[in-house]
Amino acid sequence: MKIAFGKLGFPKKGAIVLGVMDDRKLSPMGEEADKASGGLLTSSMKASRFTGKAHQTLSVFTPTGRVLLYGLGDGQGIDTLWCEKAGGTIAAGLAGSGETEVAVAIESRGDDSASPELKAAHVGYGALLRSYRFDKYRTTLKAEDKPTLVKMTVMVDGHTKARRLFAELEAVAEGVFLARDLVSEPPNVLYPESYAKILQGLKADGLKVQVLGEKEMEKLGMGALLGVGQGSTRESKLVVMQWEGGKKGDQPIAFVGKGVCFDTGGISLKPAGGMEDMKWDMGGSAVVSGLMKALAGRKAKVNAVGIVGLVENMPDGNAQRPGDVVTSMSGQTIEIINTDAEGRLVLADALWYTLKKFKPKFMIDLATLTGAMMVALGQVNCGYFANDDELSTNMSDAAKAVGEGVWRMPLGEEYNKMMNSDIADMKNAGPRFGGSITAACFLERFVEKCPWSHMDIAGMAWSSKDAPTVPKGGTGWGVRTLDQLVRANYEG
Ligand code: BES
Ligand code: MN
Ligand code: ZN
């Protein structure tokens, strides 16, 4: 959807959105439209349950077109997140309404929470985020089932400033969309090699992109990552993306993603029911890719690296077995107890490579790592772990600022020792209880003293229901939090 900004006024065509406060109190433009329509707005509100409660909506058809009344409540606390929710709600409400264009009037003078221009920019941002669709593989969609809304104009005093503020947000949305596209692609289309090709395309955005194949990874000694891909006919890849927007020679910050393009479980095969979901087991890598695109898109003043380990976990005559012992790039050996605990093996080598090659300020890894995380926190909060309190605080502040939920989980020796093996340095799967925590402890063995956080996004990467700014399907969850983390703490 196209998002534009313009002066306040009644549009010549399309729908208009006007704010209404509690007790059906119309805005100045609302009063005007009410008069012009012979009191249609007032009578429609009276005939319905619409009172102006926050985010309530009512469509009124006047002789000059649709007026969508939007509840502002008591007008307090209308901050950027509130505006994004409103933009998304409007976009979704009118998407298939028959309207092709909508103009949203931001008549408020602004309060402590946000200036009118900032509110306008975030209304546009919310609408854009919600309007995302993945229709690539639909060939028989009927005209009447396709969305009609193609353009939103947000009207506000100071629309030039709003447009400028929006440009940065749009760059982040492009990153979110890349992440959503990647997790939505089917696994016969998106596999390590084709995925790496897509990421090569990010050179056009200004990123440096380098792809390592199996030969190079063998030379580096990445036995943990390679063991996972061993049963697949698809070649494993490691993709390194670099954004150099900071000072030359400044230590980079690093993001590492699990990119299991399909997770069958391997020889420890998963049950058939729901296995198709495991196409989005590359969700962590998708967020890293989307974040790198966003940083490049808004020319962030930071040096950042994004590293994704791309593999396919398949059962096969050549597949890794439970009982195998592999040697990771770090030299530490790992006894494979369960071939379905593959993500940590990929990350072990990707983290170590990142640590040694880039000596980053910090490392954050993202992974759809454990079903246990969904049991613990549902699909509401992402559980994250951190060996550094400052990084942890920055993380939770950033998530809060963009309206994505995170919850810190514990690490500790009691958990860590559950990953000790009888015959190797560690094993890849511990007891069932505390499964997300022991997985994090496993990863911690590959980060030495580097400030590090692990985000287990198993419950967040995919959603089966619509949310105000996130349509169901691939969510791109995390791109916005990490962009905000960078923006608020590591630029300039
Ligand atoms: N990719 C899965 C985790 C997962 C499951 C993510 C469902 C999203 C939805 C991961 O590779 C896995 O299979 N983990 C195992 C670990 C266990 C074998 C120690 C799990 O969670 O059961
Ligand atoms: Mn698995
Ligand atoms: Zn997996």
Side-chain angles (χ1 to χ4, degrees):
M1 188 163 64
K2 180 159 170 38
I3 310 290
F5 295 86
K7 284 201 284 271
L8 279 162
F10 288 93
K12 289 193 188 61
K13 60 171 192 165
I16 184 168
V17 181
L18 299 170
V20 180
M21 303 242 282
D22 277 337
D23 301 326
R24 300 175 173 152
K25 191 170 175 307
L26 288 165
S27 67
M29 283 177 77
E31 295 283 3
E32 204 180 323
D34 193 42
K35 253 192 220 124
S37 64
L40 259 181
L41 302 189
T42 315
S43 58
S44 302
M45 287 194 289
K46 281 212 182 105
S48 76
R49 286 183 153 183
F50 181 91
T51 60
K53 259 201 309 221
H55 302 294
Q56 238 185 351
T57 59
L58 179 68
S59 269
V60 181
F61 295 90
T62 75
T64 52
R66 181 195 307 243
V67 176
L68 181 71
L69 299 177
Y70 202 93
L72 304 174
D74 62 5
Q76 297 301 301
I78 301 191
D79 57 10
T80 54
L81 292 178
W82 196 104
C83 291
E84 287 170 22
K85 180 172 174 182
T89 304
I90 294 163
L94 296 179
S97 66
E99 304 286 353
T100 55
E101 292 188 20
V102 61
V104 183
I106 311 291
E107 295 177 79
S108 80
R109 249 163 283 141
D111 48 41
D112 290 349
S113 340
S115 67
E117 306 88 57
L118 193 62
K119 287 179 180 170
H122 282 267
V123 167
Y125 186 39
L128 180 62
L129 286 169
R130 179 61 188 273
S131 68
Y132 172 85
R133 292 174 62 97
F134 189 79
D135 283 342
K136 199 171 160 186
Y137 299 103
R138 295 179 189 275
T139 68
T140 57
L141 202 60
K142 293 196 213 75
E144 70 252 37
D145 294 327
K146 287 185 184 155
T148 55
L149 192 69
V150 292
K151 184 176 176 190
M152 173 182 283
T153 305
V154 190
M155 305 183 296
V156 66
D157 289 334
H159 59 275
T160 354
K161 181 160 182 219
R163 188 178 299 122
R164 209 163 50 235
L165 292 168
F166 177 74
E168 288 224 335
L169 299 172
E170 193 177 22
V172 180
E174 293 297 329
V176 173
F177 293 169
L178 172 63
R180 289 178 184 173
D181 283 346
L182 289 169
V183 297
S184 303
E185 284 289 356
N188 59 331
V189 173
L190 195 83
Y191 47 89
E193 196 179 340
S194 62
Y195 194 164
K197 270 220 187 84
I198 294 174
L199 297 184
Q200 295 264 25
L202 292 177
K203 284 177 185 162
D205 297 68
L207 295 175
K208 269 196 209 164
V209 184
Q210 191 199 353
V211 180
L212 277 62
E214 290 184 351
K215 276 228 179 68
E216 285 112 321
M217 290 192 274
E218 260 156 42
K219 269 206 202 109
L220 288 164
M222 293 189 172
L225 185 153
L226 289 168
V228 177
Q230 188 180 300
S232 169
T233 56
R234 314 284 199 184
E235 187 186 348
S236 301
K237 304 279 183 187
L238 187 88
V239 182
V240 182
M241 295 165 271
Q242 282 175 269
W243 169 249
E244 289 167 345
K247 291 194 203 82
K248 221 180 153 148
D250 251 12
Q251 229 184 337
I253 56 178
F255 302 91
V256 180
K258 168 180 172 180
V260 177
C261 296
F262 195 75
D263 180 13
T264 64
I267 296 301
S268 313
L269 193 63
K270 286 183 182 294
M275 202 202 271
E276 68 280 6
D277 282 350
M278 285 300 108
K279 77 169 184 182
W280 48 260
D281 206 20
M282 32 56 68
S285 67
V287 174
V288 170
S289 307
L291 172 69
M292 294 306 290
K293 185 179 172 79
L295 294 178
R298 65 173 186 81
K299 307 231 176 313
K301 290 187 186 58
V302 69
N303 295 334
V305 294
I307 294 191
V308 293
L310 309 180
V311 302
E312 190 180 56
N313 188 21
M314 300 292 273
D316 179 77
N318 190 45
Q320 163 162 281
R321 292 153 291 258
D324 283 3
V325 173
V326 296
T327 304
S328 66
M329 183 184 170
S330 73
Q332 299 176 93
T333 56
I334 306 162
E335 181 189 9
I336 307 298
I337 299 298
N338 188 321
T339 64
D340 197 11
E342 85 297 339
R344 61 198 75 184
L345 298 168
V346 173
L347 287 174
D349 280 339
L351 282 165
W352 191 263
Y353 176 82
T354 306
L355 182 71
K356 294 297 152 180
K357 171 107 196 206
F358 294 101
K359 305 188 173 36
K361 233 177 259 173
F362 67 72
M363 297 195 285
I364 295 177
D365 77 74
L366 294 105
T368 49
L369 204 65
T370 64
M373 189 53 88
M374 303 178 75
V375 175
L377 299 180
Q379 295 188 282
V380 177
N381 282 300
C382 161
Y384 76 96
F385 302 80
N387 65 355
D388 183 271
D389 289 341
E390 188 186 323
L391 184 59
S392 170
T393 306
N394 291 345
M395 171 82 78
S396 63
D397 288 352
K400 199 164 174 205
V402 302
E404 293 184 328
V406 296
W407 192 262
R408 189 175 184 176
M409 302 281 293
L411 294 159
E413 192 44 36
E414 285 292 306
Y415 296 109
N416 180 48
K417 68 182 186 203
M418 296 178 197
M419 299 308 282
N420 290 338
S421 156
D422 291 338
I423 71 151
D425 297 333
M426 69 194 86
K427 53 189 178 185
N428 79 327
R432 198 161 73 86
F433 294 157
S436 304
I437 307 173
T438 50
C441 290
F442 177 97
L443 297 178
E444 196 181 10
R445 296 179 182 217
F446 298 87
V447 303
E448 294 189 318
K449 292 275 172 279
C450 182
W452 154 80
S453 175
H454 156 59
M455 304 173 81
D456 191 335
I457 59 168
M460 314 308 288
W462 192 267
S463 171
S464 49
K465 58 178 198 293
D466 289 330
T469 59
V470 188
K472 70 177 182 194
T475 61
W477 189 99
V479 173
R480 301 176 55 201
T481 291
L482 294 176
D483 175 74
Q484 173 65 20
L485 174 87
V486 175
R487 186 190 293 259
N489 304 287
Y490 303 102
E491 285 190 61

